[in-house]
Amino acid sequence: MRWVVAHPVVNVYSAPSADADVTTQAIYGNTVMQTKPNPAPKQNVPEGWMFIKMADDYTGWTQRNGFLPLDEKEDYAGKEKRVVTVANRAANVYREADVTKHAPVLVLPFETPLEVVSAPKNEGERWIQVRLVDGQQAWVQRGDVQDRTGKALTIDQAIALAKQFLGVTYTWGGTSSFGYDCSGFTQMIERQRGITMPRDADVQAAWTGSITVKREDLKAGDLLYFGSSAKDITHTGMYIGNGEFIHDTTHDHPMVQISRLADQPWTKLLVVARRVK
């Protein structure tokens, strides 16, 4: 069975309990597949929990109240519908085309898809009417969204995009502009380049979609993986040239930041650099 995410950001856990660690997140408007865990849990699953598989094949446990069943006849992500995505760190969604009358009904993160009901034809008009996943209609400002064209960013464009998130807080398991973790941030940048890569840093480092490059051969856009050894990779970032890389880290200040590869602790912790094929 397929479900659509109905909250701005929904946590996905390693076990069917809010006391378990968050492994990733699901973002509003995206679809997930309910499936069976393998191996099956040893204890009975609490009511209201389900095991899901996401678009990047990542799996985990989540609470069903963050989702709505996807109507197969009226697929929210239907190909024939015009869809825009949030282009800023966050976008306010309103019940009417006015920012003053009521508080936003939703605050949505970067990349959130929204189905367009109607859009202005004149450049001077700023409001787009959208359909929410529960069927309600709402309004978003045109400057907060962009058409989902599927056009991949160049490396330079991807780096420029990454810099727009400088200062976004580090959140373990985070995959949204409300808070990324290191691999969630790197995965997002690559997704904007049209590349679907694994979720976790250690899996990314061994991913067959990339090749190893020597430190002296680094180019902007290469991915860096850090840890105590090749068997214990715990962090990742993207090299942006001139000896610098951008990453989301808890080191010093927990946020997206730019660091120098020659500085400690990064220079001694670099395990491998990879270049997407």
Side-chain angles (χ1 to χ4, degrees):
M1 180 175 181
R2 293 198 301 163
W3 299 77
V4 60
V5 186
H7 291 176
V9 179
V10 176
N11 287 331
V12 180
Y13 300 85
S14 62
S17 169
D19 289 330
D21 59 306
V22 176
T23 57
T24 194
Q25 293 175 325
I27 308 302
Y28 186 93
N30 285 281
T31 59
V32 302
M33 177 69 72
Q34 183 177 0
T35 185
K36 294 182 179 180
N38 186 18
K42 296 180 181 180
Q43 299 178 341
N44 291 334
V45 176
E47 186 176 352
W49 286 84
M50 63 180 179
F51 191 77
I52 61 170
K53 183 178 181 180
M54 303 174 68
D56 60 0
D57 292 332
Y58 211 80
T59 58
W61 293 94
T62 192
Q63 293 175 295
R64 192 176 292 117
N65 60 11
F67 300 79
L68 290 174
L70 188 67
D71 189 337
E72 302 292 347
K73 296 179 181 179
E74 186 67 23
D75 191 337
Y76 177 77
K79 295 181 180 180
E80 295 183 359
K81 298 174 182 177
R82 181 185 173 189
V83 175
V84 293
T85 60
V86 174
N88 296 327
R89 287 191 185 187
N92 290 333
V93 180
Y94 297 90
R95 68 174 79 174
E96 67 268 284
D98 193 298
V99 301
T100 64
K101 291 183 177 179
H102 299 97
V105 295
L106 286 169
V107 181
L108 299 175
F110 176 69
E111 291 188 297
T112 298
L114 290 166
E115 179 193 335
V116 175
V117 175
S118 65
K121 296 180 180 180
N122 300 323
E123 288 296 325
E125 299 178 34
R126 77 172 193 262
W127 289 99
I128 295 176
Q129 191 174 25
V130 296
R131 176 177 178 265
L132 304 180
V133 299
D134 61 1
Q136 296 187 62
Q137 295 184 5
W139 299 84
V140 65
Q141 296 181 86
R142 181 161 55 181
D144 276 335
V145 296
Q146 61 187 2
D147 278 293
R148 186 168 67 180
T149 62
K151 185 177 180 180
L153 299 184
T154 65
I155 289 176
D156 287 343
Q157 289 172 332
I159 292 173
L161 172 69
K163 290 180 179 179
Q164 294 180 25
F165 296 93
L166 287 169
V168 169
T169 188
Y170 179 95
T171 301
W172 177 258
T175 62
S176 87
S177 55
F178 295 165
Y180 292 102
D181 64 14
C182 65
S183 56
F185 182 62
T186 299
Q187 187 189 44
M188 178 275 290
I189 298 171
E190 293 302 323
R191 184 163 54 243
Q192 294 301 308
R193 293 182 59 203
I195 298 164
T196 301
M197 67 184 303
R199 170 70 177 86
D200 294 333
D202 55 345
V203 184
Q204 290 178 5
W207 180 47
T208 57
S210 62
I211 59 172
T212 299
V213 294
K214 295 180 180 179
R215 183 166 179 164
E216 58 268 26
D217 295 329
L218 282 173
K219 294 181 180 179
D222 289 343
L223 304 179
L224 308 175
Y225 295 94
F226 304 87
S228 59
S229 69
K231 295 182 179 181
D232 187 28
I233 290 174
T234 57
H235 187 63
T236 181
M238 174 179 279
Y239 187 70
I240 60 174
N242 298 317
E244 295 180 326
F245 65 103
I246 190 167
H247 58 146
D248 202 347
T249 176
T250 58
H251 179 71
D252 199 14
H253 302 289
M255 63 183 181
V256 176
Q257 57 190 273
I258 293 174
S259 300
R260 292 197 59 80
L261 188 55
D263 290 346
Q264 297 292 356
W266 311 114
T267 190
K268 70 176 182 180
L269 290 177
L270 181 64
V271 174
V272 66
R274 303 280 288 181
R275 182 172 299 157
V276 175
K277 296 177 181 179

